[in-house]
Amino acid sequence: MSVFGKKGVGMPTILLHEGEAHTVTVELITGATYRGHLKQSEDSWNLLLTNVTATTREGKQHALSTIYIRGSQIRFIILPDMLQHAPMFERVRAFKRGITVPGATVRGVPPPQPQGRGRGGGRGGGRGGRRGFY
């Protein structure tokens, strides 16, 4: 288990989910920026923004009620500074100090090795029994 509490989801993605219901600024790889209320975010960084001010590369501004941004088009996201006090950072700070949390791995101790080979219970124990290994 990771320090953050979710398997397969990293710190930036968790921080993005914490930013929901806040005002964020998003810059795309095209150079356009969007500032609005983060209504919804996904693990793939797809975003739903409402009450958006869009600024093109040339500097023209447009008001949009809603926009859906594909995660692969995002260059960076500016989140509110208040998120630096999010509870998930306390787990990270404790981990860096050497204090482990329930369910997290202990420093210096390797994870346990898997036992056997799945359903069969080791060599020759799958469907059909243990022929020849008596």
Side-chain angles (χ1 to χ4, degrees):
M1 177 176 236
S2 70
V3 178
F4 313 121
K6 291 183 178 180
K7 282 189 172 185
V9 178
M11 177 73 118
T13 305
I14 294 172
L15 187 61
L16 178 63
H17 289 302
E18 290 284 328
E20 289 181 4
H22 292 90
T23 301
V24 299
T25 303
V26 180
E27 182 172 323
L28 304 185
I29 57 177
T30 62
T33 60
Y34 296 92
R35 180 173 175 80
H37 185 79
L38 181 59
K39 188 86 168 178
Q40 182 181 3
S41 63
E42 300 173 11
D43 288 350
S44 60
W45 285 46
N46 297 336
L47 307 176
L48 180 64
L49 299 177
T50 57
N51 301 327
V52 181
T53 302
T55 306
T56 63
R57 253 189 339 201
E58 295 78 29
K60 295 181 183 177
Q61 290 191 344
H62 305 282
L64 304 169
S65 61
T66 304
I67 188 167
Y68 188 81
I69 300 174
R70 183 180 168 99
S72 64
Q73 299 299 308
I74 296 173
R75 179 174 290 151
F76 65 84
I77 301 173
I78 300 173
L79 295 165
D81 290 337
M82 66 178 285
L83 291 179
Q84 67 186 354
H85 302 295
M88 66 179 172
F89 288 118
E90 290 303 319
R91 293 183 75 185
V92 174
R93 288 185 196 108
F95 183 76
K96 286 184 177 181
R97 287 192 303 262
I99 302 169
T100 59
V101 292
T105 59
V106 179
R107 281 190 180 177
V109 177
Q113 295 296 321
Q115 301 293 320
R117 294 176 50 196
R119 297 179 73 189
R123 187 171 171 91
R127 295 177 59 160
R130 302 180 55 90
R131 293 189 182 103
F133 293 98
Y134 297 112

